[in-house]
Amino acid sequence: MSDNRPIGVFDSGLGGLYATAHISHLMPRENIVYLGDTARVPYGTRSRETIIGYAEDDVRFLLSKDVKMILAACGTVSSVALDKIKESSPVPTFGIVEGAVESAMKATISGRVAVIGTDATIGSGVFEKMLYARGANFVISRACPLLVPLVECGFCGRDNVVASSVCRSYLEPIKEAGVDTLILGCTHFPILYDVISDILCGVSLIDTGRVAAETVARYILQSGSGADISRGDVRYYVTDSADGFSAAAKIFVGGKKICAETVEITK
Ligand code: DGL
């Protein structure tokens, strides 16, 4: 039975836009409501309690838009708060961790896998635990908090010396560990894909934005809850000023111009 209600996607800021663009690409008929909590980004440096509180606000806002499912397109929320928001969400709610771990275990040959993410994501140990549970032999993880503001400020191209120098410094121990697969465990990081792959030649990179979009597509197909309109649209909401959002957002959506509305999501 078709369901024309929108898919709800949220992130602490702009990173989830990339997953949203992939959802639209995979399922052009779907309506999507995107929320970026730009007033409170970054989440990744905050306490578990704060992240859970923020994620609950995000979910409440999306539910007010009558969404049929929710994707937490944020590595931090997915690692720290997913169980909590699943408990309180009346619609199917997904994160990015499980799909990324499954993709990594398909990609790895040696069973040696690395994960990078925010402080909160890496501190939670969720990726490591799940990777070992799925048969990894060795896991190295590293918090890379500086990569989030770098990406939000547009320092992300292959030729950007700042981006490559910061990435090189963060990735050195991972290079030395001899892994064959790296999970980009933060939805901002796939924007640095080229920079990272230049540094870690031959290592398979797991792009959490794409994997998250595939998780959504799989659920929609399996549950038969796809939309039956000819073309869906995407509505963008942010919690800080929408001025300047379009310019910053372009990096995440392949240069497309998008407009957002500012909303208040706290009670
Ligand atoms: N999008 C967030 C994540 O995937 C990163 C930004 C933040 O720290 O809020 O973890």
Side-chain angles (χ1 to χ4, degrees):
M1 209 172 52
S2 60
D3 187 342
N4 292 335
R5 290 178 300 163
I7 296 168
V9 181
F10 74 93
D11 181 31
S12 55
L14 302 173
L17 288 172
Y18 176 77
T20 302
H22 280 290
I23 296 172
S24 284
H25 176 72
L26 290 176
M27 291 172 294
R29 290 172 191 267
E30 295 299 325
N31 290 310
I32 303 175
V33 174
Y34 181 82
L35 173 67
D37 191 5
T38 48
R40 301 188 294 191
V41 66
Y43 284 10
T45 50
R46 305 188 193 267
S47 69
R48 181 171 181 274
E49 291 66 32
T50 300
I51 296 165
I52 290 171
Y54 287 179
E56 285 171 346
D57 292 338
D58 299 333
V59 166
R60 195 178 328 107
F61 172 77
L62 290 177
L63 291 173
S64 77
K65 297 293 174 192
D66 194 26
V67 295
K68 61 183 168 188
M69 68 174 292
I70 291 175
L71 171 68
C74 173
T76 304
V77 169
S78 304
S79 301
V80 173
L82 192 67
D83 291 350
K84 280 278 174 210
I85 57 175
K86 269 183 154 177
E87 261 169 41
S88 57
S89 171
V91 298
T93 298
F94 299 87
I96 66 155
V97 176
E98 199 164 344
V101 167
E102 274 169 19
S103 296
M105 292 313 296
K106 271 189 208 145
T108 185
I109 294 163
S110 64
R112 295 176 70 83
V113 180
V115 188
I116 54 173
T118 63
D119 286 317
T121 296
I122 299 306
S124 75
V126 164
F127 273 104
E128 281 192 12
K129 214 191 295 167
M130 208 179 276
L131 281 162
Y132 279 124
R134 306 277 165 101
N137 300 320
F138 170 83
V139 181
I140 177 170
S141 56
R142 183 109 218 247
C144 305
L146 273 183
L147 301 190
V148 175
L150 266 186
V151 169
E152 295 247 336
C153 294
F155 286 64
C156 45
R158 177 168 251 154
D159 300 327
N160 190 291
V161 287
V162 180
S164 50
S165 147
V166 175
C167 286
R168 204 168 287 285
S169 155
Y170 275 136
L171 296 172
E172 202 49 50
I174 288 174
K175 203 170 178 178
E176 276 169 20
V179 299
D180 69 0
T181 304
L182 168 69
I183 298 177
L184 307 175
C186 167
T187 47
H188 283 65
F189 296 176
I191 304 299
L192 292 162
Y193 193 100
D194 291 343
V195 178
I196 294 173
S197 70
D198 284 350
I199 297 167
L200 298 178
C201 308
V203 171
S204 304
L205 302 186
I206 306 302
D207 175 336
T208 35
R210 277 178 197 268
V211 171
E214 285 160 14
T215 301
V216 169
R218 201 174 314 119
Y219 167 75
I220 295 275
L221 283 178
Q222 283 170 357
S223 61
S225 58
D228 67 358
I229 50 178
S230 59
R231 177 115 211 145
D233 76 340
V234 188
R235 301 241 158 121
Y236 300 95
Y237 297 92
V238 288
T239 53
D240 202 353
S241 164
D243 294 343
F245 171 81
S246 288
K250 271 186 180 168
I251 303 165
F252 296 85
V253 292
K256 218 175 77 186
K257 180 169 165 42
I258 57 178
C259 296
E261 184 184 323
T262 301
V263 285
E264 167 62 58
I265 62 166
T266 51
K267 267 193 250 173

